[in-house]
Amino acid sequence: MVTARLLWEDAMKSLSVPAVTAFIIAAIVGSSVLAQEAAPVRIRGTIEKVDGNTLVVKARDGSSVKVTFADNARVTAMVKAQLSDIKQGSFIGVTAMPQPDGSQKAIGLHIFMESQKGVVADRHFPWDREPGSTMTNANVESLVASVDGQTIMVKYKDGEKKVIVPPNTPIVSFTAGSKDDLKPGAQMIVIAGQKQPDGSVVAPAINVGRDGAAPPM
């Protein structure tokens, strides 16, 4: 550690004042760029207040978060759905917990709009709904009734998954929404928000429950 510090001091002594100044400015700019490229954040919660393009959201941990969005932000509504609404060929999102046998036990399903096929990437990846949970965006290959509930085989670009859907698993369908859906009491989720220095979140898109629907993802 001491050696590294001495090397740093020697390097700084060998530079002219303008060079040192330029170096420091570059470091500050680099830090700023990294901050702007911070990983997106997800906000799940209930809308408490709407003020123009700003929402006050009560998050899952009980904190209040200010969410702002641009005039052209996309609003997608979620409406309650049933397992029978899922057909062979449906494009769905599966929030699940991995099982020892390699299958996925669903804790929530959402049915994408037809227009989202080819736009939303079909893939399987880690998710943060619960510790250890996953998300699988995939096309339904088959549905079969089983002892544990419904079994759905889904296929995505790099593989396939067997999904067990227990009874009473929450299911929603995506549909086109508008800012009229953003009202106090509605439950919502921001998938890819950008956290700001003041703690607020800028949302390029918002998914919001309509008529009491809650995001299952």
Side-chain angles (χ1 to χ4, degrees):
M1 192 72 178
V2 173
T3 301
R5 188 178 66 198
L6 290 174
L7 288 172
W8 168 264
E9 291 175 350
D10 289 341
M12 289 299 98
K13 289 175 183 177
S14 66
L15 294 174
S16 63
V17 172
V20 172
T21 302
F23 182 86
I24 293 173
I25 291 174
I28 293 172
V29 171
S31 299
S32 176
V33 170
L34 288 175
Q36 291 175 7
E37 295 178 352
V41 297
R42 297 190 185 102
I43 302 295
R44 298 173 176 86
T46 303
I47 298 174
E48 293 188 312
K49 182 181 178 182
V50 181
D51 183 9
N53 284 351
T54 300
L55 308 177
V56 176
V57 176
K58 186 173 184 179
R60 288 199 302 177
D61 62 3
S63 63
S64 288
V65 182
K66 185 172 75 172
V67 177
T68 60
F69 51 96
D71 292 335
N72 61 349
R74 185 180 69 256
V75 178
T76 301
M78 294 171 285
V79 296
K80 293 179 181 179
Q82 305 176 67
L83 194 57
S84 58
D85 294 319
I86 298 176
K87 313 290 184 183
Q88 185 177 9
S90 294
F91 184 45
I92 65 173
V94 181
T95 308
M97 298 301 297
Q99 301 301 292
D101 64 357
S103 65
Q104 303 285 310
K105 186 175 182 180
I107 56 177
L109 300 174
H110 56 279
I111 308 169
F112 289 105
M113 294 180 283
E114 191 68 25
S115 61
Q116 292 177 297
K117 281 188 176 182
V119 177
V120 176
D122 57 322
R123 61 193 183 108
H124 173 78
F125 53 102
W127 195 242
D128 64 347
R129 160 71 188 275
E130 305 294 343
S133 62
T134 63
M135 176 65 73
T136 308
N137 297 330
N139 291 292
V140 175
E141 290 286 294
S142 64
L143 301 91
V144 179
S146 67
V147 176
D148 298 323
Q150 193 87 3
T151 297
I152 302 178
M153 291 299 300
V154 297
K155 190 171 185 178
Y156 51 100
K157 184 175 66 173
D158 297 321
E160 60 183 15
K161 293 293 180 184
K162 175 182 177 182
V163 179
I164 307 300
V165 186
N168 303 318
T169 299
I171 304 171
V172 299
S173 288
F174 282 175
T175 188
S178 71
K179 291 181 180 179
D180 292 337
D181 291 300
L182 304 174
K183 56 187 68 175
Q187 297 188 58
M188 50 73 72
I189 178 171
V190 172
I191 300 292
Q194 289 294 327
K195 194 165 187 178
Q196 304 302 296
D198 64 357
S200 66
V201 173
V202 173
I206 298 175
N207 299 322
V208 60
R210 180 185 291 171
D211 298 328
M217 68 287 291

